[in-house]
Each structure stands twice: as C-alpha cells, then as structure tokens.
Amino acid sequence: MPRSIPPLPGLTRYTDWALVPDGLQTKTQLDRQGLKPGSDPVGQVLYHGNSYAPLYEVAAAVPKRRTTPAQRAALDRARELQHQCRRCGGRWEEPLGKGRFCDRCRYATTMWEQHDQAQLLARKLVADPAAVLLVVEVEPGSLPEVQGVAVVSVRDGRVLYAAQAGEQGSPERGAVLDRLDVLLADRRVVEEPDFMGPTSRYPHALLRLPRSGPVASGRDPLHPWAAPHSEANDSVTRIWAGWFGWTDHHSSTHVCAPWERGGDIPMPWSRSLDLAADGRSMAGLLHRIADGTEPVWERAAWTLDGHGVGAQEVGA
C-alpha cells in the first residue's frame, strides 16, 4: 500500500468531502450500491491528508455484474480445494497455498523433481554426439605406469582417447594436456568425482605440478575442460544421485551418493585402473537412466507414501 496517492492531472481537486458536489462518488461508494463506474473520472477528493481518490458520475454508473450460481459454486469449490492436497487428497485445516501440497507431498515431489531432472540431463547427454566422459587417474604418490586418462563417447561408448598421463610436470604430461585441449574443444564434458574412484579422478589434478597447492576454482582459461570439483562440468555422480533418490536424513531434500555417509549400496558403475572400461560402464549407466531402467532407492520419498510419483491432480 503506497503511503500516498498523487492527484490525477487535469481533474478538479476537492480538498474536503463537504465540497464534493452531489452526483459524484468514489469507486468504493459505488461498489456498496452494487454499481461500478461507467465513465472516466471527472474529479478527485483528498483523503487521509495525502491521497486523492477519483470521483465518478453516479448517473453514468452501471450495475455490477452479478455472480451466477455456477460461478459461486466454482468459487466455493476453489476455496474448498485450498484445504486439500492435490497429490494425496488429504485435508488440512489451514489453506495449503501455492502448489497446494501438504508438507509430506511437497517433500516427495521435490525429490521427484530432482529425479526427473536427472533423467532429462541423461537423455540430453545420450543424444549429444559431442558429449564425452573424461576419466582421470593421477594420484601424486602412485607410480607413473598406473597414471592415465581416457575419453569415452557417451552416445556409443567408443574410446576416443586413452593414454598414460606421465609424470607431473613432465613433457609427457604436457603432451596429454595438449591432446585433451584439442579433443575436448567444444565438447560437453562429463566427469567422475574424486571420491568415486580408487585414486584421484578430478580432471584438474592433471594440471598440478609436484608439491603444488590446490588449483584455483573456476574454469582454467587454458584448459576449460578441467573444472575443479565439477563446478563447470556435469558429473556422473550428481546425475545418478538425483535419479537414485538417496538422502542422508528423512527430512532432507539434498540427494547425495550413499557411500559418502558409509552406506552399503553397491556402485552402479565400475571402478578400476582400466579407465576406458570405467568410462564405458558410466556411459552404460547414463543410458539406463535415460531409458528409465536404472533402479532407484527402495526408500526413495516418492515410492513410500503410497501416492505414486510426480504431482498428479486428485479428481474433483
């Protein structure tokens, strides 16, 4: 509500109600008589000391449109539905407000939306011929012969590139970085986070020099495919976690990988030192999510409440 309503230009101003001529009334006064303005305002009156209300001719006013019995019934039904969850059909004393979900169903639908978005993303990746999985294994303390990198096509699982990473800071490592810069240019990169693999699998680990500190966050201007902590690239773990629907607390809508909290749910893709095989395994997982054949958590919110999935309307 504004503190003041300025006067309308070009209309006569009355600074006191006693000065208003007979036959002129405000919209509120007409409404109390079942009328509404039938013409433009012809004057304005000051009220509350700082606001002006338009005045209309009573003679030009027309009857307000009456609500029909059918319209009244529809309005009553709409008010009644405000107390009924549109997903489970339960009734509540207080109006449920926007969305018309009870707390339990709002939680379940939020989890379902993340599940649904994960499938949409998987479908986009599977359909994108430029989408690739970048699998990296470059543990600083491991031997050079077990350090490597692989690039696998998401669409068909073809291995586009596989090589030993070489010692950190060596010409061999530089050659790998140069090859990745060319191969991954203008491609959609999907990666597997560090905690999912047997050793460090963050792509930005390839950029570290011996005894160097952490790589700065954000995209590297020289190596845009190396995104620390999946900030810029899609992650297999995030996609699968959203699809699977596991959460570490019954009231949390933050989906995450179960093994982060010591869960015993098996890995849906392989983890090994054969990076190309792991990449093909992850590509297969994305295809199963896109097809809807990958299992979800047996205790996922939308499977437990007995009201199906999504935000289905209850019948009238």
Side-chain angles (χ1 to χ4, degrees), residues 111-125:
M111 300 293 284
W112 167 261
E113 287 168 1
Q114 296 179 68
H115 167 85
D116 189 50
Q117 288 300 313
Q119 185 178 43
L120 290 176
L121 179 53
R123 287 174 174 172
K124 289 180 181 178
L125 292 171

Side-chain angles (χ1 to χ4, degrees), residues 14-22 24 29 45-46 55:
Y14 301 97
T15 58
D16 191 280
W17 288 98
L19 301 177
V20 177
D22 293 338
L24 297 183
Q29 290 171 323
V45 60
L46 180 68
L55 293 168

